[in-house]
Amino acid sequence: MNSYRHSRDMKNKKSHVYLAAAIAGITFAIYLPGLQNGFVNWDDPLAYDNPHLHALGLDLFRWAFTDISTVYWMPLVWLSHALDYALWGLNPVGHHLTNNLLHAGNTFIVSYLAIRLLLIAGFTTKPEESILPDERGVLIAGGMTGLLFGLHPLHVESVAWVAERKDLLSGIFLLLSIMAYIRYAAGLSDERPQVKAGAFRLNRQYLLSLFFFIGAVSSKPMAVTLPAILLILDWYPLRRICTPKNIATLLAEKIPFIVGSVMISVVTIIAQRRLGGVVTEVSIPERLLVAARALTVYLWKVVLPVDLVPFYPYPKVIALGMPEYFLPMILVAAMTAACIYTARKQKMWLAAWGYYIISLLPVLGIAMVKTSSPFIADRFTYLPGIAPFLIMGVFVAWGREQVFLSRTWRGVAAAIVIAAVFAMTYATVKQIAVWKDSISLWTKVIDADPSVPAFVYNNRAVAFHERQQIDKAIKDYTQAIALDPGDYAQYSNRGTAHVALKQYALALADYEKVIALQPLNPSPYYNIACLRALENNAVEACRWLEQSLEKGYRDLEHIRKDPDLDSIRTASCYQEIMAGQ
């Protein structure tokens, strides 16, 4: 029988808070090197170079709550970035500091939540089914879960990438929603849970859970899985699912959550379709194969976090006969069957496995897939990874308690765990450095797989260009064009780089290619006007400038101040053109 099963209270509830706070503090300290990182040119400009975020006011709120131009509806994320801009401007330190604080906060909640869930499991589990024999085991398991969550290198992407604020904000709201739900469902008003399998009732904790859920889906739509997660918790460890009547009551209880999930899912699908994120050339069977592979790859990277890169290209060939798809399908099926088989005696495995799959479901690419997007991403494991982390924590605590382990072997086991935590921490610090700037980021991606999509080379080229490393920029632009010759922006970027080196003939060829691809786009006409002005050819410059205006170029203030046009300011053709505007 569990030694803590019939104890009246944990003697010191503060010990849970102190432990969680210590782990959160360690996590914050480990991520301090990230404050030296800059912004990267992969979505970060949306967070700092976004005119909508540069002034706090009603216009900001109106835009934030109606915009879906970036695939997601995420008003709270926009508001947080706007607040960062108001406090820090373009200083990346402040933006990274906010991410670090949010991750430390999430780590605190995960540590505390893991302890509470394990305590509930201890009170609701039959003695013969128990894995952890005492309160110390619970603290060890919960503490390890928090350490893994806070320090695992898989989570660096969500923290070190400013634009991934949505993971952190959604995470903190979702975790708080679960905490409130547990208090609602299990009556955690004191130290000893009194599990209720009774009727649905609106109370403060329920409304808090719903409120935090709204915050979660207002930060990232991946949180739409929460209603299913709450049902898993109802089954285990809360054990509220006892009869068919209970199931009906519990489903009714989730209706507000389900309605919110459906609404956010519809908005996300609409946004994806507008931006070309839903494609049909990948069949559903192929998507299922990729999804099974993703589930196993994520687990492998949780256990052995090596070869982590910011971008994993979508596979070009997908077939059941290939080992990388056939074996994961077998493994996923086998693990599911094993969890179901053991559920009568030990429900934890099936509950953890179900949470892992369901929380990853929105990002497995089954319903929607964009082949230019990654097939997996480290950031997608931010909350789903809690399940394997919890299992690993329980395993560590269970191993400690085995009677066959002598004091000597316990010391060896402790040394192994400590070494593993230090190794994980070292890997995390190294991974933080990958996000130092755009060049280090994209170089890491290209070194891992040179056949990445064109935008990777283009983004590194832009970074080289900004550093005035023009030759390197042109080389990357050329590679990007080779990979995607239909993208006009890459020709335009390379043309601008050629202009910087005064290679006007090459620049002209690139701008003319842009016109061939985008004949109604006024920018290449304007760029050629500037090029001709730099060549002191006023007649040609005016001709192209006039065409750019005819195509819709309307930034007259830029025209008047652009130094590239200085050589034709006194030309009569220029003065006539501007006089007519």
Side-chain angles (χ1 to χ4, degrees), residues 446-503:
I446 292 169
D447 288 347
D449 184 358
S451 66
V452 291
F455 84 88
V456 175
Y457 285 95
N458 183 75
N459 285 5
R460 189 172 72 167
V462 170
F464 279 133
H465 198 156
E466 290 174 349
R467 290 192 182 183
Q468 299 303 308
Q469 296 176 289
I470 307 301
D471 289 334
K472 291 182 178 180
I474 290 174
K475 182 179 179 181
D476 274 355
Y477 285 137
T478 301
Q479 180 63 27
I481 289 170
L483 291 169
D484 186 5
D487 188 345
Y488 74 92
Q490 295 166 167
Y491 293 98
S492 182
N493 290 341
R494 189 174 68 174
T496 303
H498 283 309
V499 168
L501 295 180
K502 298 184 179 180
Q503 298 171 343

Side-chain angles (χ1 to χ4, degrees), residues 63-235:
W63 174 82
F65 280 90
T66 57
D67 177 72
I68 55 172
S69 63
T70 55
V71 180
Y72 299 142
W73 181 73
M74 49 183 191
L76 297 188
V77 175
W78 293 130
L79 296 179
S80 76
H81 285 311
L83 185 58
D84 268 353
Y85 185 85
L87 293 173
W88 302 95
L90 295 179
N91 185 348
V93 171
H95 298 258
H96 285 294
L97 178 61
T98 300
N99 276 20
N100 287 6
L101 289 170
L102 286 170
H103 181 54
N106 282 331
T107 302
F108 175 88
I109 300 173
V110 167
S111 303
Y112 187 81
L113 179 60
I115 293 170
R116 302 310 294 167
L117 287 173
L118 290 170
L119 282 174
I120 293 171
F123 278 104
T124 61
T125 300
K126 296 177 182 178
E128 61 272 17
E129 296 179 8
S130 176
I131 296 177
L132 303 176
D134 59 21
E135 296 167 358
R136 180 178 296 180
V138 168
L139 291 176
I140 291 173
M144 281 301 302
T145 303
L147 271 177
L148 288 166
F149 179 87
L151 302 182
H152 202 286
L154 271 176
H155 287 173
V156 169
E157 184 168 295
S158 295
V159 185
W161 185 9
V162 170
E164 270 308 300
R165 176 76 52 79
K166 48 186 174 283
D167 271 348
L168 307 171
L169 269 181
S170 179
I172 205 162
F173 282 117
L174 187 138
L175 292 169
L176 288 172
S177 180
I178 292 175
M179 287 286 292
Y181 182 81
I182 289 173
R183 290 187 178 278
Y184 158 74
L188 291 180
S189 57
D190 53 29
E191 289 289 351
R192 182 175 180 180
Q194 301 295 328
V195 178
K196 295 177 175 63
F200 163 48
R201 54 191 176 88
L202 279 173
N203 67 11
R204 180 173 176 269
Q205 295 300 331
Y206 179 89
L207 294 175
L208 271 177
S209 180
L210 183 59
F211 172 78
F212 288 132
F213 167 67
I214 294 170
V217 294
S218 298
S219 302
K220 189 174 184 178
M222 195 170 170
V224 296
T225 57
L226 183 62
I229 292 169
L230 296 181
L231 283 171
I232 292 174
L233 292 174
D234 284 333
W235 180 69

Side-chain angles (χ1 to χ4, degrees), residues 420-550:
V421 171
F422 273 100
M424 180 177 66
T425 302
Y426 175 74
T428 292
V429 173
K430 283 191 65 177
Q431 194 68 13
I432 291 171
V434 169
W435 293 86
K436 181 176 179 59
D437 54 44
S438 298
I439 292 176
S440 62
L441 170 69
W442 299 119
T443 297
K444 175 73 173 180
V445 175
I446 292 169
D447 288 347
D449 184 358
S451 66
V452 291
F455 84 88
V456 175
Y457 285 95
N458 183 75
N459 285 5
R460 189 172 72 167
V462 170
F464 279 133
H465 198 156
E466 290 174 349
R467 290 192 182 183
Q468 299 303 308
Q469 296 176 289
I470 307 301
D471 289 334
K472 291 182 178 180
I474 290 174
K475 182 179 179 181
D476 274 355
Y477 285 137
T478 301
Q479 180 63 27
I481 289 170
L483 291 169
D484 186 5
D487 188 345
Y488 74 92
Q490 295 166 167
Y491 293 98
S492 182
N493 290 341
R494 189 174 68 174
T496 303
H498 283 309
V499 168
L501 295 180
K502 298 184 179 180
Q503 298 171 343
Y504 297 138
L506 294 174
L508 178 62
D510 279 336
Y511 291 146
E512 288 176 339
K513 183 65 176 179
V514 176
I515 291 174
L517 293 171
Q518 293 274 314
L520 300 180
N521 186 342
S523 294
Y525 297 90
Y526 179 76
N527 287 337
I528 294 177
C530 292
L531 187 155
R532 292 307 192 190
L534 291 170
E535 293 177 326
N536 295 313
N537 188 336
V539 174
E540 281 295 295
C542 287
R543 183 170 73 86
W544 285 100
L545 179 60
E546 192 167 23
Q547 288 189 65
S548 73
L549 293 169
E550 290 173 355

Side-chain angles (χ1 to χ4, degrees), residues 239-261:
R239 294 182 181 269
R240 301 178 72 209
I241 298 179
C242 305
T243 65
K245 183 179 179 180
N246 285 140
I247 296 176
T249 299
L250 294 172
L251 285 174
E253 185 181 74
K254 307 300 183 298
I255 287 176
F257 295 87
I258 294 170
V259 170
S261 293

Side-chain angles (χ1 to χ4, degrees), residues 337-386:
C339 289
I340 293 173
Y341 178 77
T342 60
R344 286 189 177 182
K345 292 185 176 181
Q346 182 49 255
K347 292 180 169 58
M348 180 183 291
W349 315 125
L350 183 57
W353 182 241
Y355 166 83
Y356 174 73
I357 292 177
I358 287 173
S359 59
L360 275 171
L361 201 58
V363 292
L364 290 177
I366 298 173
M368 301 182 296
V369 61
K370 189 176 181 181
T371 52
S372 62
S373 298
F375 96 96
I376 61 171
D378 295 353
R379 60 189 179 274
F380 293 160
T381 67
Y382 191 70
L383 290 180
I386 294 174

